[in-house]
Amino acid sequence: TRPAIARGLRALMRLMEADDPAARDDMAFVSLCGGMALANSGLGVVHGLAGVIGGTTGAAHGAICGALLAPSLAMNMDRAPGQRMSDIARILGEVLGSDPTGACDALARWAQEAGLPGLRAQGLSADAFHTTALASQESSSMKGNPVPLSVEDLCTVLAAASR
């Protein structure tokens, strides 16, 4: 909710200025709220793949999700075109200074330039793509994706995220 987000941002600002136990408590509360919201929202392909990858590689969940975000978004835009995806591409393009048609590529470049490692560097080999894709299709997170994705689609996402 917006009040929880505002509370979290204020707490983060206080933590950046000084060690503040109350701010840590606020951040813990906001994190709990975020976790509950995500657990009930149906997360989609990024988290569907990330859970499997993290379980097999031990890589950090946030880094895995970051590597998967742009190619997963591109796949969903391709497989589920419509106004919602167009709006996401437009907004992402505006933020990244890109045409909407190149927004996912711009996001991938931004992540790479920021130093986010691809999945290969995080321990996922190309040999594991098919097994990872199969296992992820059974995850509860994958059921929240806007459209069902095939094993081939998921392998394409994994290859793009491995750069």
Side-chain angles (χ1 to χ4, degrees):
T1 66
R2 288 187 178 169
I5 293 169
R7 181 176 175 180
L9 288 173
R10 285 191 302 272
L12 180 59
M13 291 171 68
R14 290 194 327 262
L15 280 172
M16 291 173 71
E17 293 170 4
D19 187 26
D20 182 342
R24 284 196 308 272
D25 288 347
D26 284 346
M27 288 299 296
F29 174 74
V30 170
S31 178
L32 172 68
C33 291
M36 290 189 303
L38 290 173
N40 291 299
S41 67
L43 298 170
V45 63
V46 171
H47 281 87
L49 287 167
V52 175
I53 295 166
T56 58
T57 67
H61 182 73
I64 296 168
C65 291
L68 287 166
L69 183 58
S72 295
L73 187 56
M75 182 62 71
N76 278 332
M77 287 178 174
D78 183 58
R79 298 293 186 259
Q83 189 59 48
R84 179 183 241 179
M85 292 297 182
S86 294
D87 289 345
I88 291 169
R90 180 183 48 76
I91 293 166
L92 189 56
E94 286 173 9
V95 169
L96 295 170
S98 167
D99 181 83
T101 60
C104 292
D105 290 336
L107 178 60
R109 272 192 312 279
W110 175 80
Q112 190 171 19
E113 289 168 3
L116 183 67
L119 295 179
R120 184 178 339 117
Q122 295 183 52
L124 185 70
S125 71
D127 295 340
F129 288 179
H130 192 281
T131 304
T132 300
L134 280 174
S136 71
Q137 285 188 317
E138 300 304 316
S139 73
S140 60
S141 293
M142 196 65 79
K143 291 172 179 51
N145 203 56
V147 293
L149 297 175
S150 69
V151 169
E152 183 180 325
D153 291 338
L154 297 173
C155 287
T156 299
V157 168
L158 292 169
S162 291
R163 49 170 164 56

